[in-house]
Amino acid sequence: MQEKLSLAEAFKEAVFQLPAHGKRNVQVLKEVFEQIEGHLDSDIYGTGKVIEDFQANMAEVLGKEAAVFFPSGTMAQQIALRIWCDRKGLSQVAYHPLCHLEIHEEDGLKQLHHIESVLLADKHRLITLEDVQGMPEEVACLLLELPQREIGGQLPEYSELEAISAYCREKGIYLHLDGARLFEVLPYYQKSAAEVCALFDSVYISVYKGIGGIAGAVLAGAADFTAESKVWKRRHGGDLISLYPYIIPADFYFKQRVHKMEKYYEEAKTLAALYNQCHAVTTLPLEPVSNMFHVHVSLPKTVVEDVLIDLYQATGIGLTSYVREVDEFSSYYEVSIGDNYSEVPQDKLQSLFVRLNERLQQASS
């Protein structure tokens, strides 16, 4: 008897995989480097045309004086907060309880830099101006994440963002943007990257999430800030002899996808509407504000996994490779729309959601 596939295995075998841009395999690199001339020189310890041109372009796009390429966002953001704390002579920063630095980095900020966090707002909602005004302790910097990934990619209204920025400047609090998915929220705000970044003293973006590069991040701000960040980059061991295997794909896929964010956003809204027609399913947000959202199902994780495995095998379309438990009665997973979505035939997608609704009703009875 053939052993039953896991959800991840069933997803991998599906003909169509709905989220993201495609498989993260060697082809992602080959597609880029097949178009690059072999005599192009590498960067050397942060210098050279390949890195300097990319950094200058990112600084211009983000509306900042300068930008620095980092091998990881974890490194970039810890360094940004360290700089702001040093300048204020205060080792405390504020951010959301589900901030990446708080839940995914093994307390790196605290253990490496001895910086403590002040957690603002309830973990299920966004930080508001009132939260910032009512901070119980003085902080050097406030970090805002746009969108707030762990609660479905929610966003504050732009007027709220402007008010928080103005308050921080009035009070001398540095404002840092965790903009890992910055370009994905621009269609909702109807603003340019530079307009949003003008509200912040420093900005981090990821080059592999919505952009779809291999790995890496960009940290941008005033020239004196980025110069100081380069010193910390060397201290962290991030000043590798060459970073071009990351920079060239970042540049290639940025140019290929940055203008598709509106398309991904509209497709996410269409997909969320299909999910919300299904029994026991609610998306968060109900209508997405970027290309990502969470799918919450009022059924146990194991039940949802079984439903999805059967669905993938019947339709050849994979919706997610994982499901996470909320509690014994409910579960969820994240969806991020990229190039893959438009490759799925719409009639097959409509049929899939009819089947999904039926299977969830059966599983609930």
Side-chain angles (χ1 to χ4, degrees), residues 72-338:
S72 80
T74 296
M75 184 186 297
Q77 295 210 99
Q78 288 184 23
I79 286 171
L81 298 187
R82 174 62 186 263
I83 292 170
W84 296 137
C85 284
D86 284 353
R87 291 194 182 184
K88 291 283 288 187
L90 183 60
S91 296
Q92 286 195 137
V93 297
Y95 47 60
H96 192 273
L98 298 181
C99 173
H100 195 281
L101 287 90
E102 189 71 15
I103 66 173
H104 290 306
E105 298 180 15
E106 302 290 349
D107 281 339
L109 189 67
K110 300 167 187 177
Q111 297 298 324
L112 296 177
H113 297 281
H114 308 292
I115 294 172
E116 295 301 318
S117 58
V118 174
L119 305 182
L120 298 185
D122 178 88
K123 68 179 183 179
H124 299 294
R125 66 170 177 83
L126 295 166
I127 292 173
T128 65
L129 175 61
E130 186 177 354
D131 294 318
V132 179
Q133 291 171 331
M135 276 193 289
E137 301 172 65
E138 188 179 359
V139 300
C141 180
L142 168 65
L143 179 153
L144 295 181
E145 181 184 358
L146 304 177
Q148 193 75 50
R149 179 191 181 182
E150 299 291 339
I151 52 173
Q154 295 183 55
L155 280 174
E157 290 303 317
Y158 198 73
S159 58
E160 182 86 358
L161 204 54
E162 290 178 309
I164 291 173
S165 175
Y167 179 81
C168 286
R169 286 180 177 163
E170 177 189 341
K171 298 298 181 181
I173 300 168
Y174 291 112
L175 189 59
H176 173 74
L177 172 59
D178 179 341
R181 297 166 176 80
L182 170 64
F183 298 102
E184 291 90 313
V185 308
L186 300 180
Y188 178 78
Y189 279 146
Q190 290 295 294
K191 302 288 183 181
S192 69
E195 285 175 309
V196 175
C197 293
L199 303 177
F200 295 83
D201 298 294
S202 55
V203 177
Y204 142 71
I205 64 165
S206 168
V207 299
Y208 72 87
K209 292 185 169 68
I211 292 170
I214 303 304
V218 171
L219 184 63
D224 61 338
F225 168 84
T226 55
E228 193 170 349
S229 79
K230 289 181 179 180
V231 176
W232 277 106
K233 180 183 176 186
R234 174 65 63 92
R235 290 170 177 162
H236 270 251
D239 211 5
L240 307 186
I241 184 170
S242 295
L243 287 165
Y244 72 92
Y246 305 104
I247 295 166
I248 291 173
D251 185 51
F252 177 85
Y253 288 115
F254 176 80
K255 291 171 180 174
Q256 201 177 69
R257 292 178 174 137
V258 70
H259 301 298
K260 294 183 181 180
M261 296 300 170
E262 178 89 40
K263 174 176 177 287
Y264 301 152
Y265 169 50
E266 293 299 329
E267 289 169 343
K269 290 192 289 185
T270 299
L271 185 61
L274 291 173
Y275 270 114
N276 283 308
Q277 293 171 11
C278 292
H279 177 77
V281 174
T282 306
T283 65
L284 181 68
L286 194 62
E287 181 174 288
V289 291
S290 70
N291 72 322
M292 71 162 291
F293 57 90
H294 286 183
V295 176
H296 285 261
V297 187
S298 300
L299 287 168
K301 174 179 181 286
T302 54
V303 173
V304 175
E305 286 177 334
D306 287 342
V307 167
L308 292 177
I309 290 168
D310 291 345
L311 193 69
Y312 298 175
Q313 293 176 326
T315 67
I317 301 173
L319 297 175
T320 180
S321 62
Y322 73 92
V323 176
R324 292 181 180 149
E325 183 177 84
V326 176
D327 54 40
E328 60 180 313
F329 304 110
S330 60
S331 52
Y332 83 100
Y333 55 90
E334 182 178 292
V335 173
S336 292
I337 296 300

